[in-house]
Amino acid sequence: MSSEQTPTTPSAAETAGPRPRRLTYAAALAALEGLALVVGGAWILVEGLVGDPDDRQSAVTGGITLIVLALLPLLAARGLLARRSWSRGPAVITQIMALPVAYNLLQADSVAIPAGIALAVVAVAALILLINSETTQALGIRGPGRTQDGERQS
């Protein structure tokens, strides 16, 4: 097997040193979104169980679904803090999924509008932090067609 075919992991030099602040901020934003999903899911679940919802089964299902969905950004945040290259994908997916939710919240005529603004700001900020070259390098992610040294293959 040639060296081009063997999977490589970030070298000790790439992961040595302090974690870039942008990576830490991206992890914090992903964790914040995950915690918000847990809190929202728990709220809906409790209201569905002890409150008087129109449809108890839908409320319980919705609450459980939000809690399970919270695992994606929470695991991504943990991976980002540990500098795992796989964690950027779930973090980016979380932000992309948050944008239509923010848009729908902005279309509401209620107190959901500030929540939509906050979610949109967090999602866009996290996306910018996640695609930043400093974050990419800290995670040991190379662009397509790049060697371990960062130079293009011919």
Side-chain angles (χ1 to χ4, degrees):
M1 207 177 205
S2 73
S3 64
E4 291 181 82
Q5 294 173 337
T6 57
T8 60
T9 57
S11 67
E14 289 174 316
T15 59
R19 181 185 316 109
R21 284 186 301 170
R22 291 178 177 150
L23 183 58
T24 304
Y25 295 156
L29 290 175
L32 179 67
E33 288 172 327
L35 291 175
L37 283 169
V38 168
V39 169
W43 178 267
I44 292 171
L45 182 62
V46 169
E47 284 292 316
L49 292 173
V50 299
D52 188 24
D54 293 337
D55 185 1
R56 185 174 311 275
Q57 183 177 1
S58 292
V60 170
T61 302
I64 291 171
T65 301
L66 284 180
I67 292 169
V68 171
L69 282 174
L71 292 175
L72 183 67
L74 291 173
L75 289 173
R78 185 171 183 206
L80 288 170
L81 287 175
R83 293 187 181 185
R84 303 286 189 241
S85 62
W86 61 262
S87 62
R88 190 173 81 159
V92 168
I93 289 168
T94 299
Q95 307 320 314
I96 291 171
M97 289 183 347
L99 291 173
V101 174
Y103 179 78
N104 283 331
L105 290 172
L106 290 171
Q107 300 304 310
D109 291 329
S110 67
V111 295
I113 292 173
I117 292 169
L119 181 58
V121 167
V122 167
V124 170
L127 276 172
I128 290 169
L129 291 168
L130 288 165
I131 63 172
N132 183 277
S133 63
E134 187 179 327
T135 302
T136 302
Q137 289 173 353
L139 293 173
I141 298 172
R142 297 183 310 270
R146 297 215 182 256
T147 64
Q148 190 168 358
D149 298 330
E151 297 182 15
R152 288 207 171 266
Q153 293 176 345
S154 32

